[in-house]
Amino acid sequence: MPEPICIAVLPGDGVGPEVTAEAVACLEVVALEFFHEFEFHEHLIGGAALDVVGVPLPEATLKACQESRAVFLGAVGSPKHDHQPAHLRPESGLLALRAALGVFANLRPVRVDDALIDASPLKASIVRGTDLLIVRELAGGLYFGEPRSLTKTRGVNTMAYTDGEVERVARVAFKLAKGRRRKVTSVDKANVLESSRLWRSVVDRVAKDYPEVKLDHQYVDSCAMALVTRPATFDVLLTENLFGDILSDEAAVLPGSLGLLPSASLGGTVDLYEPVHGSAPDIAGRGIANPVGAILSAALLLRYTLGLETEARLLEEAVRGVLAEGCGTPDLQGARIPVGTTELGNRIRRRFTELAWSGASLECVASAK
Ligand code: NAD
Ligand code: IPM
Ligand code: MN
């Protein structure tokens, strides 16, 4: 018998536990249908940890994450802790976890399927064909640069990058682009920022090792506009930490809801998976959060950490099928069959099982080759 695969689960705050439960239940069905053994161990993070232990990333949580094959996180953040000093905010637990695991490449895929085109608030003619991947640098930039300080009259943060930090994330973007439409758009603010000038020159240098990939550079302000005027022209978007944070929430408008977007954070000792959205305190506890971003993050875990491409594709196909039928939580405008978080998760799991028992899994294996 192979050893069970141990996954650390950090539900966190707000809608975090609601969407995490659906994603974990999906992984359980994957395990059942494909004879894998996954073990899930829950731990505290964020506001939930502050309430019990007094710190946003307890040592026990970090140790458990470091000893797991992968970490699955719901969301952190709660209005109750918004006025705390930085080290006592839920968000600093997540930032400390990312730093401790050493994950530096945050992948945020965004797709608009033809069947779901009407869910977008933008015109179908604009979003049709959108299939892009944001590769966000996650370990540096303004989030971690020194010096940083805050007094009553002055707040300081520093955007700093070394060539090594840029090179390693750029290589991830180029490698992924090779398996896609072979185009990288590197997003920076090189007309103003020194850190961006370094970024651009390193990306140019790295690009020479990937001659089959076309590279262009774009300023972040212009990219923000292009993302909602000609999104289908992008393939891989490579960018620094804060720009990637902002552009990915903007990109959520394309498929129609922030609740749809998944992410994978790679490159460190243990991979971390989380939906792109936050704890959504405005809808928490009502059973209406969209679990799709979390479920698609579970699919990324199957793909990137466990190498289970067939299972990942079937789970993504199950999500697509259920949404295409018109099922959706209230954030998906125009969903013809309104459902809550658990019902949407149930429907996706049922669809996954049907696909696993049909010829679809064989087709997935064939098309993955
Ligand atoms: P948010 O992402 O939580 O919510 C923004 C909007 O999107 C809200 O209207 C919310 O209802 C909606 N939304 C988000 N997720 C949804 C889902 N699954 N289904 C349906 N609607 C959804 O951003 P915010 O309100 O700016 O931040 C709330 C808290 O979350 C803050 O404390 C923030 O720091 C934190 N946050 C955490 C993460 C994370 O844990 N990775 C990410 C972003 C924000
Ligand atoms: C995200 C979030 C986090 C970030 C916060 C909660 C620290 O917005 O994952 O997008 O800024 O990276
Ligand atoms: Mn964000």
Side-chain angles (χ1 to χ4, degrees), residues 108 136 143 245 248-249 276:
R108 298 185 160 190
R136 168 189 176 194
Y143 279 61
D245 179 45
S248 54
D249 271 33
V276 168

Side-chain angles (χ1 to χ4, degrees), residues 15 19 73-78 82 89 91 94 98 249 257-259 274-283 288-291 331:
V15 299
V19 299
L73 184 139
V76 294
S78 74
D82 270 353
R89 287 191 60 122
E91 293 86 346
L94 173 56
R98 290 173 181 168
D249 271 33
S257 170
L258 187 52
E274 44 174 324
V276 168
H277 65 77
S279 57
D282 53 336
I283 58 162
I288 57 167
N290 192 333
D331 52 301

Side-chain angles (χ1 to χ4, degrees), residues 249-315:
D249 271 33
E250 187 194 2
V253 173
L254 304 167
S257 170
L258 187 52
L260 293 170
L261 297 195
S263 88
S265 301
L266 310 177
T269 49
V270 182
D271 302 332
L272 168 66
Y273 296 86
E274 44 174 324
V276 168
H277 65 77
S279 57
D282 53 336
I283 58 162
R286 293 168 49 196
I288 57 167
N290 192 333
V292 166
I295 292 171
L296 293 177
S297 301
L300 296 181
L301 187 160
L302 294 167
R303 171 170 298 126
Y304 291 117
T305 299
L306 304 180
L308 301 174
E309 180 62 28
T310 299
E311 289 85 332
R313 282 188 188 211
L314 281 190
L315 187 52

Side-chain angles (χ1 to χ4, degrees), residues 111-312:
R111 287 183 59 150
V112 181
D113 288 315
D114 277 351
L116 302 173
I117 215 152
D118 293 331
S120 178
L122 301 182
K123 283 185 196 146
S125 59
I126 287 180
V127 295
R128 183 168 289 115
T130 296
D131 178 4
L132 59 88
L133 174 68
I134 296 175
V135 177
R136 168 189 176 194
E137 200 290 326
L138 200 64
L142 269 176
Y143 279 61
F144 294 98
E146 295 289 343
R148 60 188 298 163
S149 61
L150 176 63
T151 67
K152 278 212 169 82
T153 52
R154 194 170 144 80
V156 178
N157 291 95
T158 302
M159 191 188 284
Y161 273 107
T162 65
D163 54 352
E165 286 173 323
V166 181
E167 178 170 344
R168 63 186 185 173
V169 72
R171 289 200 184 280
V172 171
F174 280 97
K175 280 185 194 145
L176 288 165
K178 272 173 72 173
R180 296 173 48 97
R181 299 196 309 283
R182 297 195 296 279
K183 187 176 159 195
V184 169
T185 303
S186 176
V187 180
D188 63 34
K189 188 74 187 172
N191 48 348
V192 177
L193 303 174
E194 277 70 18
S195 57
S196 281
R197 284 183 206 132
L198 178 86
W199 180 280
R200 200 174 268 225
S201 70
V202 174
V203 172
D204 275 333
R205 179 159 50 74
V206 169
K208 296 203 171 81
D209 293 339
Y210 303 87
E212 63 278 61
V213 177
K214 184 179 176 309
L215 167 70
D216 39 83
H217 300 278
Q218 190 167 16
Y219 297 133
V220 62
D221 44 357
S222 142
C223 179
M225 184 193 66
L227 207 47
V228 284
T229 49
R230 51 174 183 83
T233 62
F234 292 108
D235 181 16
V236 174
L237 279 156
L238 164 66
T239 191
E240 72 87 45
N241 204 341
L242 182 66
F243 298 162
D245 179 45
I246 298 168
L247 292 179
S248 54
D249 271 33
E250 187 194 2
V253 173
L254 304 167
S257 170
L258 187 52
L260 293 170
L261 297 195
S263 88
S265 301
L266 310 177
T269 49
V270 182
D271 302 332
L272 168 66
Y273 296 86
E274 44 174 324
V276 168
H277 65 77
S279 57
D282 53 336
I283 58 162
R286 293 168 49 196
I288 57 167
N290 192 333
V292 166
I295 292 171
L296 293 177
S297 301
L300 296 181
L301 187 160
L302 294 167
R303 171 170 298 126
Y304 291 117
T305 299
L306 304 180
L308 301 174
E309 180 62 28
T310 299
E311 289 85 332

